[in-house]
């Protein structure tokens, strides 16, 4: 099965860390590196270079409408004319418009929802979002644009969590067309764990939004009682922010380095945003190593981490709860190992790419067969 994959991917050498896609990039690269059995992905930029697709006029026109804020901000529009045969198009995050005679069946996917991005990331009020969505719905329906939130048409929608499914249901998407398939992660090439103290890991390009300041504050409290602990912090830190003593900080590391150096020595991963988190793929990556997690009780994070079983789920913004959760793992190596085993088991059952790829393949096949009937 030949599938055109339209999905965000970061450059190999990033120039502006603030615009990295994080989990969306990981999702794209995992699919390209480990496709479902019998599926051959063609990444859309490669298809453009080979002349298998080309941009249509509307690619620029809709970009202008979003640029001048007639349309609300999101991942953007991909408007193409398909020139060579593809069995299916899988479009993740972007809005999609197909022109020309060749119109393969479409599967859309979304980590959460643009509605939540506008509400919780950008802080837009409900009335403002509804006004923009009213305009956008008119435009995408008139121009026959696939939109994950407003105009699914004949496409199927893949979302990463039950939480995201509920949001799309509220937006009016038919739940019969929604499939919950989490992002798949490959098994790691494990390295020996280093016995050099207790390591806390935080990974987040958007430091404050991901709860980095809460993690540092919790670390400061714990460091006084447990001087041998370390905090490995990956991501940009705001200018003037005072990192605590003993913090190992790098603004950016490649995913390969993260998997080969930082995860193998981590004892717990902490992701504690106060308001918003698209999904938290880094928690799945940690679970593949058998690393327990501390996360905040927002969005889909409590679906990924079982409180008191594979980690701890704490109240958003509570430094005290974060510190207590980490401390329980510091003082009880047996508990840390137990949680890690549960995290790894849940990963193998739900998030291993061989498991998620099987679900994707079944969906792809059903969509292609229905198109041919």
């Amino acid at each position: 099965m030949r599938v055109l994959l339209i999905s965000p991917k970061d450059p190999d050498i990033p120039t502006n860390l603030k615009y990295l896609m994080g989990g969306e990039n990981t999702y794209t690269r995992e699919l390209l590196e480990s496709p479902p059995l019998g599926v051959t992905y063609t990444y859309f930029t490669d298809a453009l270079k080979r002349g298998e697709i080309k941009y249509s006029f509307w690619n620029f026109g809709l970009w202008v409408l979003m640029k001048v804020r007639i349309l609300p901000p999101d991942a953007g529009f991909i408007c193409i004319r398909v020139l060579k045969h593809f069995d299916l198009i899988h479009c993740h995050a972007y809005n999609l418009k197909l022109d020309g005679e060749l119109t393969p069946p479409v599967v859309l996917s979304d980590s959460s929802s643009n509605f939540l991005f506008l509400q919780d990331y950008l802080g837009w009020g409900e009335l403002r979002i509804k006004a923009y969505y009213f305009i956008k719905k008119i435009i995408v329906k008139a121009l026959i644009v696939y939109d994950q939130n407003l105009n699914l048409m004949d496409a199927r929608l893949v979302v990463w969590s039950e939480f995201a499914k509920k949001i799309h249901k509220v937006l009016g998407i038919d739940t019969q067309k929604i499939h919950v398939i989490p992002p798949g992660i490959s098994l790691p090439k494990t390295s020996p764990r280093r016995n050099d103290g207790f390591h806390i890991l935080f990974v987040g390009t958007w430091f404050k939004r991901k709860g980095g300041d809460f993690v540092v504050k919790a670390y400061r409290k714990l460091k006084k009682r447990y001087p041998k602990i370390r905090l490995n912090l990956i991501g940009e830190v705001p200018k003037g922010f005072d990192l605590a003593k003993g913090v190992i900080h790098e603004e950016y590391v490649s995913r390969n380095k993260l998997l080969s150096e930082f995860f193998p020595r981590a004892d717990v991963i902490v992701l504690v945003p106060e308001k918003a988190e698209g999904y938290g793929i880094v928690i799945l990556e940690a679970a593949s190593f058998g690393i327990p997690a501390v996360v905040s009780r927002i969005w889909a994070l409590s679906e990924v981490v079982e409180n008191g079983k594979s980690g701890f789920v704490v109240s958003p913004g509570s430094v005290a709860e974060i510190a207590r959760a980490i401390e329980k793992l510091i003082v009880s190596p047996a508990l840390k190992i137990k949680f890690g085993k549960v995290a790894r088991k849940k990963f193998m059952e739900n998030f291993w790419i061989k498991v998620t790829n099987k679900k994707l393949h079944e969906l792809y096949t059903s969509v292609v067969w229905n198109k041919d009937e």
Side-chain angles (χ1 to χ4, degrees):
M1 184 186 301
R2 195 158 183 254
V3 177
L4 178 67
L5 181 63
I6 301 173
S7 186
K9 187 171 71 171
D10 292 335
D12 293 327
I13 302 176
T15 55
N16 192 329
L17 300 182
K18 287 186 177 181
Y19 294 103
L20 293 181
M21 297 300 295
E24 317 294 342
N25 167 68
T26 299
Y27 182 68
T28 304
R29 292 183 181 273
E30 283 282 3
L31 288 178
L32 291 173
E33 293 169 10
S34 303
L37 185 65
V39 171
T40 300
Y41 285 119
T42 300
Y43 192 56
F44 78 105
T45 56
D46 295 329
L48 284 165
K49 292 174 185 176
R50 295 201 292 257
E52 296 176 313
I53 63 173
K54 69 177 183 179
Y55 286 125
S56 69
F57 161 79
W58 286 109
N59 201 69
F60 176 74
L62 289 169
W63 175 83
V64 170
L65 291 180
M66 194 166 68
K67 192 73 174 176
V68 299
R69 287 292 190 268
I70 292 175
L71 291 172
D74 60 17
F77 292 82
I78 300 294
C79 307
I80 56 173
R81 187 179 295 269
V82 180
L83 304 175
K84 298 292 183 179
H85 173 77
F86 290 95
D87 296 295
L88 182 78
I89 295 176
H90 181 164
C91 180
H92 178 71
Y94 295 110
N95 306 291
L96 175 67
K97 177 170 171 56
L98 298 179
D99 291 316
E101 295 181 1
L102 294 179
T103 55
V106 172
V107 168
L108 301 175
S109 61
D110 211 354
S111 56
S112 53
S113 168
N114 174 253
F115 179 88
L116 294 174
F117 170 76
L118 298 176
Q119 176 182 268
D120 294 332
Y121 281 58
L122 300 186
W124 283 22
E126 187 175 345
L127 289 178
R128 184 182 182 187
I129 297 173
K130 285 183 176 180
Y132 269 93
Y133 270 19
F134 177 77
I135 296 170
K136 185 178 183 182
K137 192 168 187 177
I138 293 173
I139 291 174
V140 296
K141 282 184 172 291
L143 298 179
I144 315 177
V145 176
Y146 289 98
D147 181 286
Q148 292 91 337
N149 301 280
L150 301 173
N151 196 36
L152 204 58
M153 296 192 289
D154 59 348
R156 298 291 187 93
L157 176 63
V158 172
V159 293
W160 292 358
S161 65
E162 292 293 337
F163 171 80
K165 182 177 180 178
K166 291 177 183 176
I167 298 300
H168 284 86
K169 180 182 178 181
V170 170
L171 292 171
I173 299 298
D174 181 2
T175 55
Q176 296 297 315
K177 294 185 175 183
I178 303 176
H179 304 260
V180 179
I181 304 177
I185 301 295
S186 302
L187 284 173
K189 298 175 182 178
T190 55
S191 302
R193 299 292 293 273
R194 304 174 191 176
N195 187 20
D196 58 348
F198 189 95
H199 283 259
I200 303 163
L201 179 61
F202 170 86
V203 182
T205 303
W206 295 89
F207 176 79
K208 188 169 179 61
R209 185 182 65 76
K210 297 275 186 177
D213 50 343
F214 301 132
V215 177
V216 173
K217 289 175 183 176
Y219 171 73
R220 282 200 186 102
K221 293 181 66 173
L222 293 167
K223 184 73 172 173
K224 295 175 182 177
R225 297 195 293 273
Y226 309 98
K228 291 186 178 181
I229 67 172
R230 295 288 183 269
L231 171 59
N232 298 279
L233 195 154
I234 311 299
E236 279 190 305
V237 173
K239 288 184 179 180
F241 186 87
D242 182 26
L243 286 176
K245 183 180 179 181
V247 174
I248 301 166
H249 173 233
E250 294 197 36
E251 284 198 345
Y252 171 80
V253 298
S254 67
R255 184 162 180 257
N256 285 338
K257 186 175 181 179
L258 189 65
L259 294 173
S260 64
E261 295 186 23
F262 286 91
F263 279 121
R265 71 183 179 208
D267 294 282
V268 62
I269 186 163
V270 186
L271 179 62
V272 285
E274 188 175 16
K275 293 182 179 179
E277 176 55 47
Y279 188 77
I281 283 186
V282 69
I283 301 300
L284 306 186
E285 293 175 310
S288 73
F289 284 86
I291 300 168
V294 176
V295 301
S296 47
R297 192 176 290 104
I298 64 165
W299 293 27
L301 287 176
S302 56
E303 290 183 39
V304 179
V305 178
E306 292 183 86
N307 189 34
K309 293 183 178 180
S310 64
F312 292 107
V313 181
V314 301
S315 301
S318 176
V319 173
E321 286 190 34
I322 297 167
R324 281 198 298 269
I326 297 172
E327 185 173 26
K328 289 178 182 178
L329 300 174
I330 294 173
V331 300
S332 177
L335 183 65
K336 183 191 72 172
I337 292 171
K338 179 182 177 181
F339 279 12
K341 287 181 177 179
V342 174
R344 169 85 173 189
K345 183 175 183 292
K346 185 171 182 178
F347 168 82
M348 296 296 294
E349 293 174 349
N350 299 283
F351 307 118
W352 185 23
I353 198 163
K354 283 194 174 182
V355 174
T356 58
N357 271 350
K358 184 178 179 181
K359 295 178 181 178
L360 266 183
H361 186 270
E362 290 173 354
L363 175 59
Y364 288 171
T365 302
S366 69
V367 170
V368 171
W369 281 354
N370 287 337
K371 179 72 174 180
D372 291 339
E373 288 177 356

